[in-house]
Amino acid sequence: MWWYGHAPAADEGPVALEDLNAAVARVRGTPLKLTEPVTWLSRFGDASRQAERYRSGRVLLAGDAAHVHFPIGGQGLNTGLQDAVNLGWKLAARVRGWGSEELLDTYHGERHPVAERVLLNTRAQLALMRPDEQHTTPLRGFIEELLGIDEVNRYFGRMITGTDVRYTTFTSASPGRAHPWTGCFAGRLVLSGRPEGPVPVAELLRPARPLLLDLAGRADLREAARPWADRVSVVAGEAAVEPSAQALLVRPDGYVAWAGSSADTADELRAGLARWFGPPAAEGRRPAL
């Protein structure tokens, strides 16, 4: 576990409404009378802490047990929920017999760098909030100017919401060959050309099953996925995927485990299916725990 910053002192006691009004006046520069809080008042510090390992045998850490930081932008909520979704389907796969130890190990490899980046940007935002007329105020003004640029605004927006996460565990086995969509979040895509009309991929993931999205009528890929039919749902349709892909193998957490173009073969899909979702049914199952 490493840490940075300071937690609130244990003897500071409960927060009084007078404390809140004083803090608001200090930040605004003018008083603003606040009355009757509808939820609660509490203190928080600016400590940044992260566990060195998210898994030790049968002990796994997620959310605030794995990382804490200055609570700006609600990033702890997003990060903790993404931890839970990433870990949940892998634990379920292990319990059901087809998830391997190596699959559980990918949880740390994928989520630890994400929280590390969150701690970095929350510490940077905290630094910009420090009252320092000589250094911080000019820097804050410069950042505000940058945020007027649409692309910069989108960059920070994706970073704070966590929608720009791309897992490198997908591409490490075959560097240079992975499709650009591999490792990216696909839940925001909308699948069209279906009898019920357009449907978001996020809705298709509600049963918490992996999906093979056939976007180009690839019968060979659908056939290749048949031995995994007990775990993977095949869905045909169309989606505006740039750069183009003919098929996407999507994990239950919404991230693309494999993406195929016209040059990709059914054998490559089978390798992706076996790597992330265990052996085909014909080869039997690993025993459940």
Side-chain angles (χ1 to χ4, degrees), residues 171-179:
T171 60
S172 57
S174 54
R177 294 194 62 241
H179 189 280

Side-chain angles (χ1 to χ4, degrees), residues 55 58 87-105 276 285-289:
R55 183 191 181 199
R58 296 171 66 89
L87 178 59
W89 76 269
K90 295 172 182 177
L91 284 173
R94 189 76 180 108
V95 169
R96 293 183 178 182
W98 54 263
S100 65
E101 286 289 324
E102 293 76 15
L103 180 65
L104 281 183
D105 285 338
W276 291 103
R285 306 281 190 82
R286 294 180 176 87
L289 295 180

Side-chain angles (χ1 to χ4, degrees), residues 49-262:
R49 297 187 173 111
Q50 184 177 28
E52 292 181 358
R53 296 291 306 174
Y54 284 9
R55 183 191 181 199
S56 178
R58 296 171 66 89
V59 177
L60 296 111
L61 304 178
D64 289 351
H67 44 77
V68 293
H69 54 81
F70 184 64
I72 190 168
Q75 294 183 73
L77 175 60
N78 285 339
T79 310
L81 286 174
Q82 290 174 357
D83 287 348
V85 176
N86 184 292
L87 178 59
W89 76 269
K90 295 172 182 177
L91 284 173
R94 189 76 180 108
V95 169
R96 293 183 178 182
W98 54 263
S100 65
E101 286 289 324
E102 293 76 15
L103 180 65
L104 281 183
D105 285 338
T106 64
Y107 168 64
H108 170 86
E110 290 177 353
R111 296 304 302 169
H112 193 275
V114 173
E116 194 171 32
R117 187 171 180 238
V118 169
L119 266 62
L120 177 64
N121 89 63
T122 53
R123 287 168 57 189
Q125 291 184 70
L126 181 63
L128 288 173
M129 295 171 65
R130 299 290 191 191
D132 182 345
E133 293 296 328
Q134 182 179 358
H135 302 98
T136 306
T137 300
L139 179 59
R140 188 186 303 119
F142 178 64
I143 296 297
E144 289 175 353
E145 183 178 327
L146 288 178
L147 288 173
I149 302 172
D150 288 343
E151 185 54 38
V152 174
N153 208 344
R154 285 192 292 269
Y155 172 83
F156 280 107
R158 290 191 293 262
M159 178 180 65
I160 291 174
T161 58
T163 56
D164 68 341
V165 171
R166 186 184 186 195
Y167 294 138
T168 58
T169 47
F170 296 92
T171 60
S172 57
S174 54
R177 294 194 62 241
H179 189 280
W181 262 94
T182 306
C184 295
F185 184 65
R188 65 181 182 273
L189 294 176
V190 176
L191 207 62
S192 59
R194 294 185 54 76
E196 69 273 29
V199 57
V201 171
E203 289 293 327
L204 297 173
L205 288 167
R206 282 186 177 274
R209 284 172 58 90
L211 299 174
L212 175 62
L213 302 181
D214 178 10
L215 307 178
R218 290 284 298 271
D220 58 326
L221 299 183
R222 295 197 302 273
E223 183 61 29
R226 189 182 298 276
W228 284 267
D230 61 328
R231 282 155 278 169
V232 180
S233 299
V234 178
V235 181
E238 302 172 0
V241 179
E242 293 294 341
S244 64
Q246 293 197 343
L248 299 176
L249 181 61
V250 184
R251 303 190 323 186
D253 58 3
Y255 285 85
V256 178
W258 176 87
S261 64
S262 58

